[in-house]
Amino acid sequence: RAILQRRQDAFLAVVQVPNDDLSVALADALHAVLYTKDKMSQFQEQEVVCCVEMMSRQKSVVVGKAEFVIAKALATLEVVNDMEGPAGDFFRGSCAEKAISTAVRCLELIMQGDRSDDKDANHEKEVLCAGVCSFLFSASTKGADAGFQQDIL
């Protein structure tokens, strides 16, 4: 258990570093773990907490590479939500509410933002919006109980 705690502490320490490139690399690495041979045994509570924290610490959806970090974390959590086993159970039991409220906050920020003449920036917002909606749909339908659905509504 002590090793797992140190692993979680290390993940959370990396999440706190205010470096976009490091956050994107961590989000990519966590997402890649899901596509290893035995994803359920590789992805554990620490990775779930790390994804949720990484996503929730983003203060904007348009500054730096925040949209990439949020989108990758949401895609990862969407897969975790659908998993059977400890990681999925932990997410649904301990982290889903925070992830859902963060996803809804991201959607609000996207909707409040102005459209710009920059097609790339608009495309990034559209992709993030689609990712948020996909995650929220997953959270409301896949393995979700009435509490999840109420949080989303």
Side-chain angles (χ1 to χ4, degrees):
R1 189 74 181 151
I3 292 171
L4 293 177
Q5 184 61 46
R6 286 195 311 261
R7 184 173 159 184
Q8 182 173 342
D9 292 344
F11 275 129
L12 293 177
V14 171
V15 168
Q16 300 305 319
V17 175
N19 180 299
D20 283 348
D21 292 330
L22 182 60
S23 295
V24 169
L26 181 59
D28 285 341
L30 289 170
H31 192 72
V33 168
L34 292 174
Y35 296 98
T36 58
K37 185 176 180 184
D38 188 6
K39 67 182 178 185
M40 285 184 256
S41 67
Q42 297 294 320
F43 211 85
Q44 299 176 5
E45 293 176 9
Q46 303 89 314
E47 288 87 357
V48 173
V49 170
C50 187
C51 281
V52 173
E53 289 303 315
M54 186 173 20
M55 182 178 69
S56 66
R57 80 169 189 79
Q58 301 296 322
K59 302 298 181 212
S60 170
V61 294
V62 295
V63 174
K65 297 179 181 176
E67 69 276 2
F68 297 111
V69 173
I70 295 167
K72 189 66 74 161
L74 283 170
T76 302
L77 292 172
E78 186 174 342
V79 173
V80 171
N81 181 52
D82 202 28
M83 288 171 53
E84 298 296 327
D89 293 343
F90 177 76
F91 172 73
R92 290 184 295 274
S94 301
C95 300
E97 186 175 333
K98 184 173 185 177
I100 290 167
S101 65
T102 300
V104 169
R105 182 179 56 83
C106 288
L107 197 56
E108 290 171 346
L109 290 171
I110 293 167
M111 294 302 159
Q112 290 172 357
D114 294 330
R115 301 284 292 177
S116 71
D117 292 334
D118 183 349
K119 290 182 182 180
D120 289 337
N122 288 334
H123 177 70
E124 291 166 1
K125 287 181 188 177
E126 290 166 0
V127 169
L128 179 55
C129 186
V132 169
C133 291
S134 179
F135 169 77
L136 292 173
F137 178 78
S138 171
S140 71
T141 60
K142 295 178 186 171
D145 60 19
F148 274 34
Q149 293 170 1
Q150 185 61 39
D151 287 343
I152 292 170
L153 296 175

